[in-house]
Amino acid sequence: MAASEFDLIRDYFTGLGSRREDVLLGVGDDAALLQPPEGQAVALCVDTMVAGVHFPGDAPAASVGHKALAVNLSDLAAMGAEPAWATLSLTLPDADERWIASFTHGFGDLARYHNVALVGGDLSRGPLSVSVQAAGFVPRGRALRRRRARPGDAVFVSGTLGDAALGLALWQEQRATLDADSAWLIARLHQPTPRVSLGRELRGCATAAIDLSDGLAQDLGHILQGSGVGAVVDVDRLPVSEPARHYAVARRCLEAAAAGGDDYELCFTVPRTRLHRLDAIASRTGVRLTRIGTIEPGQGLRLVHGDGTPAGLQVPGYRHFTS
Ligand SMILES: [Mg+2]
């Protein structure tokens, strides 16, 4: 790839995403030059997606481009940050220009939608893997953290849960003909929607927030640990989509909603005194918000049914390096 690396960067990556005035120098030099706004903290995150580990190796290239950026924008959303810049490190088995064109299409569409400029990157040859680093701004002292949930706070999630886990099962079945419900679930897996505007709206409202990459049980667990509290979640309230209900039996839907990864919805906690704000936030952002439980003293997550009996779900969250 060495001979054509510079051509590929010129043809496909220079100027990808939005044009922004705070980019003093973008793709093409040894480093980008960027001008963060006064009074704002820079939120910075990075995420690597490896084919066969984080996404199916046969996923459409446009979806890989979309998702590689989306998972980072989701992290920024969980901090209440406004996305601005991204860098991309792409490792490819070969310089397949059709694949690259499609990848940059998926990446570029999402970047422009969220006013993100690609400001630098790197191309190399090897097993397919994509690293994206994203930066955004959040007014100093206003970022959403994981550590301020308090007993009595309500626990909310956005959107619907478990779709991506069911979408992955469908993708692995390799069905030749897909009905509309299956296609929707697979799109939830391949093209997650980062809840950027919701994250921004939750500043000054939520006491803690996280995005759901590894599944509700595990990710809410990070809030509980960070805040030194426990929580009770009513599994009968977990928002499950209609396509999920059509595809899987109720129990499988519940397990996917409680522990399935890759949904990239937000989970957050809100004190009683601010609950009245949520209807307006839901309508301004157009995102469904569901109260699923309550923070309580102690530690750990209790999954129960509406009548208080234990849910008895097998909900291991996804972990690397453990069996
Ligand atoms: Mg995250």
Side-chain angles (χ1 to χ4, degrees):
M1 186 176 293
S4 60
E5 176 188 350
F6 303 109
D7 293 340
L8 291 171
I9 289 172
R10 184 196 61 218
D11 294 346
Y12 294 103
F13 297 98
T14 303
L16 191 60
S18 288
R19 282 183 184 278
R20 295 179 57 102
E21 297 208 335
D22 53 13
V23 179
L24 309 179
L25 188 61
V27 172
D29 211 307
D30 294 302
L33 295 173
L34 308 167
Q35 183 67 61
E38 289 284 328
Q40 306 264 319
V42 174
L44 187 63
C45 60
V46 64
D47 204 275
T48 297
M49 297 195 337
V50 178
V53 179
H54 304 93
F55 66 97
D58 58 350
S63 299
V64 177
H66 174 105
K67 188 165 182 175
L69 180 59
V71 300
N72 282 280
L73 299 187
S74 178
D75 276 329
L76 293 181
M79 301 300 290
E82 178 97 36
W85 310 315
T87 61
L88 164 69
S89 178
L90 183 57
T91 305
L92 294 170
D94 50 63
D96 177 347
E97 286 205 40
R98 276 182 55 192
W99 195 95
I100 294 173
S102 177
F103 173 92
T104 51
H105 205 272
F107 186 102
D109 282 353
L110 186 67
R112 280 188 300 279
Y113 183 80
H114 289 288
N115 195 24
V116 170
L118 182 73
V119 298
D122 176 54
L123 269 181
S124 43
R125 191 193 291 270
L128 178 58
S129 127
V130 192
S131 281
V132 172
Q133 186 177 48
F137 312 132
V138 60
R140 228 172 270 168
R142 303 252 294 156
L144 302 170
R145 306 278 307 272
R146 298 178 178 180
R147 49 190 290 185
R148 298 199 182 104
R150 293 290 172 263
D153 288 359
V155 180
F156 280 82
V157 291
S158 64
T160 52
L161 303 185
D163 299 321
L166 297 174
L168 179 60
L170 275 162
W171 184 259
Q172 288 168 339
E173 286 172 17
Q174 298 273 347
R175 297 213 321 226
T177 53
L178 289 172
D179 54 74
D181 286 336
S182 305
W184 187 85
L185 292 169
I186 288 172
R188 288 276 288 159
L189 167 73
H190 285 329
Q191 289 150 282
T193 305
R195 301 300 188 186
V196 172
S197 58
L198 175 61
R200 213 165 36 216
E201 291 274 352
L202 290 175
R203 289 180 202 152
C205 179
T207 45
I210 193 167
D211 68 315
L212 298 179
S213 52
D214 297 330
L216 174 70
Q218 182 162 319
D219 290 322
L220 175 55
H222 294 311
I223 287 183
L224 303 183
Q225 270 202 320
S227 300
V229 294
V232 58
V233 162
D234 176 353
V235 296
D236 299 326
R237 288 186 179 213
L238 297 181
V240 174
S241 68
E242 283 301 311
R245 282 186 210 285
H246 293 162
Y247 169 65
V249 297
R251 185 163 189 86
R252 188 161 174 219
C253 285
L254 267 193
E255 284 174 353
D262 267 2
D263 282 322
Y264 297 99
E265 296 295 344
L266 295 186
C267 176
F268 55 94
T269 57
V270 177
R272 280 193 204 103
T273 52
R274 297 179 193 154
L275 288 176
H276 64 278
R277 298 189 199 173
L278 289 177
D279 281 347
I281 291 176
S283 69
R284 276 200 298 274
T285 56
V287 178
R288 171 179 173 178
L289 303 178
T290 306
R291 181 177 179 172
I292 58 167
T294 308
I295 298 294
E296 55 186 18
Q299 58 182 12
L301 174 61
R302 295 193 296 124
L303 296 174
V304 302
H305 286 293
D307 62 4
T309 57
L313 296 177
Q314 294 296 314
V315 289
Y318 183 70
R319 282 180 196 184
H320 291 278
F321 308 120
T322 57
S323 52

